[in-house]
Amino acid sequence: MSSSPQATATQRGVGYWLRQLWVQVLIGVAAGIVAGAAWPGAAEQMQLFSDGFVALMKMIVAPVLFCTVVLGVGKVDSIGRVGRVGAKSLLYFVVLTGLCMVVGLVVGNVFQPGAGMHIDASDLSTQDLPENATSTHLNLADFLLSIIPTTMFSAFTEGEILPVMLVSVLFGIGIKAVGEPAEGLLRGVENLSKVVFKVVGWVMRTAPLGAFGGLALTVGKYGIGTLHQLLILITLFSVTCLLFILVVFGGLLRYTGLNLFKLCRYLKEELMIILATCSSEAVLPRMVDKMTHLGASRPVVGLTLPAGYSFNLDGTAIYLTMSSLFLAQALDIHMSLGEQLVMLGIMMITSKGAAGVPGGAFVVLAGSVGIIGHVPMAALALIVGIDRFLNEGRILTTVLGNAVATIFIAKWEGEFDLERAKAVLDGKDVPPPLREADEHGREHPATDLPGTATAPAAG
C-alpha cells in the first residue's frame, strides 16, 4: 500500500524542507526582522535586497503578460469570446470595488478611528509628503489616455500594465484575424513563453533575499514604537480587510465549490512575498502560472488576472474611503452622507489608476483628496508614516481578490476544471492542464510552465 502524501511529507528530511521556496522565504522574513531590530541604522542598506528583487520581477512582468495574453486571445474560438470575458471581468470589478468602498465607509463611520485627535490643519505641512503625492493630479481622461503607449514597443519599457495589455490583446486579435499564415508566429510566442517562465523560475529563487530586505527596512526604519495613536487605524483597517477576505472572498469561493483556506495555502509563497516586499507585481508571473495550473482556462487567466491588477484593487478601495474619513475626523471636519457618496463616486474612478501611478494608493488618495476638497492636502502628513503598514493589508487583499476573480470568471464562463482545482488544493500530484484544441482541431498545451508538472505541496 502506498503511503499518503502527508505521511511521505513527514518522512522527508530537513534538506528537503530547506529547498522549498516558501520555507526559504520564511527564513528570509525572520532574518529580516532580527536584522532590522539589531541594526536599525543599516535598514536603508538592507533595502537593496528588496528593491533588487522587486526590480527583477517588474523586469519580467511585461514579457509574461505579452505571452500569456497573446496565447490566450490567439487560441480562443472566436473574437466575441474575448469581448465576453472582458465584459464579465469589468462588471465583476466594478461591483467588487463599489462593495469595498461601501465597507470602508461603514467601518469608518461606525468606529471613527480619527475622532478625538483634534488636529489643527494650520499645524500641518506638505513638506514631508512624497513629491508625486502633491504634484500628481488624476482625472479620467488622463487615465484613459495613459493606456495608449507612445509606440507598440514603448509599452514594454514604461513599466505599466495596461499599455502592455492593450498591445497584447491587439496583437492576439491580429493573429486570430490573419489565421493560418500567422500560426507560425503564434507557435513562436508559445516557445518564447517557455523561455520567459524559465527565467521567472530563476528570479523567484531570489525571493528570500527580497523578503529579508523588505522586513529589515520596515522594522529598522519604523518599528512598532512609532505608531502611537495611529495604531488604531492600522488595526481597524487590517481587521476590516481580514473580515472582507473571510466573508466576501470566502463566500464567492464557496459558490465555486472551493475553500478559501486551501487557496491561501496554495498561494502561501506568493502571499509571504507580498507581505515582505509590499509589491503585488512581484508575484504576477507566478499568479498567472498557478491560476492556469489550478484549472482556469488560459484565455480567462490571460485576460482577467492582468486586468485585475489595474481595475480590481479591492484593498485599495477599502483604504481610500476609510483613510479619507479618518483624515476628516482627525481634523474635526464633518462629512454628510451626500458628501460621502459623492466621494465614493469620485474614488470609483480615481482608484482605477492606482496601479499605474508611481506611489500607488497613497498618490491616488492624494489625487482624490485634491478633487473632492473635503480636507486640506497637508492632512496626508498624518498617515504618510504608517502607509507602509497599511500597504500590507491592501496589497494582500487585492492579490487574493484577483485570484478569486479569476476563478469566479472562469466558472462563469464554464472554463474552470473544478475537480482538478480540488485535487490541486488538496496537494495531490496533478499533471499539466488538459490540452486545448483550436478551431482547426489542432491541440495546444493549455500551459507549459515550469513548476506545474505536479501540484505544489499544500502542507
Side-chain angles (χ1 to χ4, degrees):
M1 181 184 300
S2 61
S3 60
S4 66
Q6 290 80 4
T8 302
T10 58
Q11 295 168 2
R12 290 165 175 161
V14 175
Y16 166 81
W17 293 110
L18 290 178
R19 288 193 296 271
Q20 303 303 303
L21 181 60
W22 68 273
V23 175
Q24 296 173 8
V25 171
L26 275 180
I27 294 173
V29 167
I33 293 173
V34 172
W39 302 286
E44 296 289 345
Q45 288 70 36
M46 296 176 192
Q47 186 181 4
L48 169 68
F49 296 105
S50 177
D51 290 347
F53 169 71
V54 172
L56 283 172
M57 292 307 300
K58 288 185 176 181
M59 172 192 73
I60 204 69
V61 163
V64 166
L65 287 183
F66 177 78
C67 293
T68 303
V69 175
V70 169
L71 290 175
V73 174
K75 291 181 180 178
V76 297
D77 49 11
S78 69
I79 298 301
R81 182 179 168 199
V82 177
R84 187 174 66 248
V85 172
K88 288 180 177 179
S89 299
L90 288 177
L91 175 61
Y92 176 95
F93 296 159
V94 169
V95 172
L96 261 290
T97 300
L99 178 60
C100 290
M101 289 189 170
V102 170
V103 168
L105 283 181
V106 171
V107 173
N109 279 292
V110 171
F111 293 95
Q112 300 191 6
M117 295 183 70
H118 306 299
I119 303 295
D120 186 347
S122 62
D123 294 334
L124 300 174
S125 170
T126 60
Q127 182 177 353
D128 294 328
L129 298 181
E131 182 179 352
N132 54 7
T134 55
S135 63
T136 302
H137 301 282
L138 303 177
N139 59 67
L140 181 60
D142 290 342
F143 169 64
L144 293 176
L145 289 175
S146 71
I147 299 175
I148 305 174
T150 305
T151 68
M152 290 188 69
F153 298 102
S154 67
F156 299 91
T157 61
E158 293 172 352
E160 297 183 10
I161 292 176
L162 287 180
V164 177
M165 280 284 294
L166 176 64
V167 170
S168 302
V169 169
L170 292 176
F171 200 80
I173 292 175
I175 289 177
K176 185 70 179 177
V178 171
E180 188 171 350
E183 287 185 0
L185 184 58
L186 191 62
R187 287 193 295 272
V189 175
E190 189 163 19
N191 290 330
L192 175 62
S193 73
K194 299 176 183 178
V195 176
V196 167
F197 277 98
K198 177 64 72 173
V199 175
V200 169
W202 294 338
V203 172
M204 283 301 298
R205 285 298 166 186
T206 67
L209 290 176
F212 168 79
L215 266 296
L217 173 68
T218 301
V219 174
K221 187 174 181 179
Y222 300 105
I224 198 67
T226 63
L227 304 182
H228 301 299
Q229 69 266 32
L230 296 177
L231 182 61
I232 187 174
L233 176 61
I234 298 174
T235 303
L236 185 60
F237 176 72
S238 300
V239 171
T240 301
C241 288
L242 178 60
L243 291 177
F244 191 88
I245 290 171
L246 293 174
V247 176
V248 178
F249 294 164
L252 290 172
L253 283 176
R254 195 176 303 115
Y255 167 77
T256 65
L258 299 180
N259 182 276
L260 172 65
F261 298 104
K262 290 184 178 180
L263 179 66
C264 292
R265 186 171 58 185
Y266 176 63
L267 299 175
K268 58 182 177 294
E269 295 172 359
E270 290 71 29
L271 298 181
M272 284 187 288
I273 290 170
I274 290 167
L275 290 175
T277 64
C278 286
S279 172
S280 58
E281 287 186 352
V283 299
L284 177 55
R286 287 274 295 188
M287 292 292 291
V288 170
D289 182 347
K290 283 198 166 182
M291 288 298 101
T292 306
H293 183 62
L294 188 63
S297 71
R298 170 175 279 181
V300 172
V301 174
L303 291 171
T304 303
L305 189 61
Y309 266 63
S310 290
F311 292 101
N312 191 41
L313 304 172
D314 297 328
T316 297
I318 297 174
Y319 162 83
L320 288 176
T321 49
M322 187 180 294
S323 296
S324 293
L325 282 181
F326 172 82
L327 295 176
Q329 293 162 3
L331 272 66
D332 296 321
I333 298 174
H334 173 72
M335 293 187 68
S336 67
L337 177 61
E339 291 172 329
Q340 292 184 33
L341 292 178
V342 170
M343 177 181 73
L344 186 148
I346 292 175
M347 288 182 171
M348 281 285 291
I349 298 174
T350 56
S351 66
K352 303 309 177 189
V357 178
F362 188 81
V363 175
V364 173
L365 176 63
S368 302
V369 166
I371 294 172
I372 301 167
H374 62 304
V375 297
M377 187 72 72
L380 293 170
L382 294 174
I383 61 172
V384 66
I386 62 168
D387 188 67
R388 182 179 177 88
F389 296 96
L390 297 173
N391 199 31
E392 304 276 0
R394 65 184 180 233
I395 290 184
L396 185 65
T397 305
T398 293
V399 172
L400 265 178
N402 285 326
V404 173
T406 303
I407 295 171
F408 186 87
I409 299 299
K411 181 177 175 60
W412 192 358
E413 273 288 288
E415 298 182 21
F416 186 70
D417 189 340
L418 180 59
E419 295 306 314
R420 175 187 178 85
K422 289 181 177 179
V424 170
L425 295 185
D426 286 338
K428 298 177 181 177
D429 289 344
V430 179
L434 297 176
R435 301 170 72 87
E436 298 176 342
D438 62 19
E439 71 274 22
H440 303 294
R442 286 181 287 271
E443 290 186 337
H444 302 278
T447 184
D448 191 14
L449 310 180
T452 55
T454 59

